[in-house]
Amino acid sequence: MQGLSSCLKSFLRPAASVLLPLLLIGWIGHTVTTPVHRSLSRPLRNPETYNAVNKVSQHAQDKSIDDTSSRLIPRVNTDEDHLKICCLHANILDFYLHNILPRHDNKHRTMNRVRNDLQRISEDLETHGCNVTHYQDHQHAVQFRKNLVGMGEEQGINKAVGEINILFSCLQDFCVQTKNQTATEKVSTN
């Protein structure tokens, strides 16, 4: 029995010394080539911001009398470049910050936090290269504004605040930088 044990040990030692480095090389290679997503703005990954946005959205939805079959924020083709989609949603965020939120009477206790965090997100995305004015004429931005106007001012603004959670989710999903992107790669504005 001892002979079998020593034979097994003598076989496993060289095999382990060859296989272990190969496994490590494969694991390291996989780790290096697998993209890790990092959001382009800290509030986008903050669970407190996420919860505050959802509370403001739900509060507006509770006050709304419109049907849930219509949607202001258009769905986008997710096959497009994520960073372009990010900048498109940054444009819609800019519209929210300058045209929706200042005219909304939501007295929800988290509204100030939501406004501040959304302003920070907008500034961060601009720092990363999102030129929101470049996307003003994009078909989705135009469709959003058209849908909003079609609802009437008060109802449209309330509907937009009710959908702020959709906008936030889109920003979370598309405004990310992969670990493999170099520091010189900026958000494409073309």
Side-chain angles (χ1 to χ4, degrees), residues 15-171:
S17 66
V18 170
L19 288 177
L20 187 60
L22 290 175
L23 287 172
L24 285 175
I25 290 170
W27 178 75
I28 290 170
H30 177 72
T31 301
V32 169
T33 60
T34 303
V36 176
H37 292 33
R38 190 183 91 220
S39 70
L40 297 177
S41 180
R42 180 166 282 163
L44 286 174
R45 63 179 182 260
N46 186 331
E48 292 172 14
T49 302
Y50 176 81
N51 289 333
V53 166
N54 281 325
K55 287 177 184 176
V56 166
S57 175
Q58 188 60 51
H59 187 259
Q61 289 172 21
D62 291 344
K63 291 175 31 177
S64 181
I65 56 171
D66 69 4
D67 67 273
T68 57
S69 64
S70 62
R71 180 175 161 162
L72 293 176
I73 299 175
R75 288 171 176 42
V76 296
N77 179 1
T78 57
D79 293 336
E80 291 183 42
D81 178 19
H82 275 207
L83 296 176
K84 286 183 181 180
I85 296 172
C86 171
C87 289
L88 167 64
H89 285 94
N91 173 270
I92 294 173
L93 172 61
D94 188 64
F95 188 84
Y96 265 77
L97 290 169
H98 293 97
N99 300 290
I100 303 292
L101 298 180
R103 298 187 350 208
H104 185 65
D105 65 350
N106 188 344
K107 301 297 183 201
H108 197 275
R109 60 186 171 85
T110 60
M111 181 55 98
N112 284 337
R113 179 199 173 101
V114 168
R115 281 187 183 131
N116 291 338
D117 286 348
L118 292 177
Q119 184 63 46
R120 166 76 189 278
I121 292 167
S122 180
E123 291 167 3
D124 290 347
L125 295 179
E126 188 175 332
T127 300
H128 283 282
C130 273
N131 178 357
V132 295
T133 58
H134 180 78
Y135 289 88
Q136 285 179 333
D137 295 328
H138 189 281
Q139 67 182 12
H140 293 301
V142 170
Q143 185 64 44
F144 170 77
R145 291 190 303 271
K146 182 179 175 185
N147 292 348
L148 183 67
V149 170
M151 298 191 89
E153 184 175 350
E154 187 177 331
Q155 187 178 0
I157 288 175
N158 197 59
K159 176 75 171 172
V161 174
E163 289 188 5
I164 201 165
N165 60 337
I166 297 171
L167 175 62
F168 189 78
S169 292
C170 291
L171 291 166

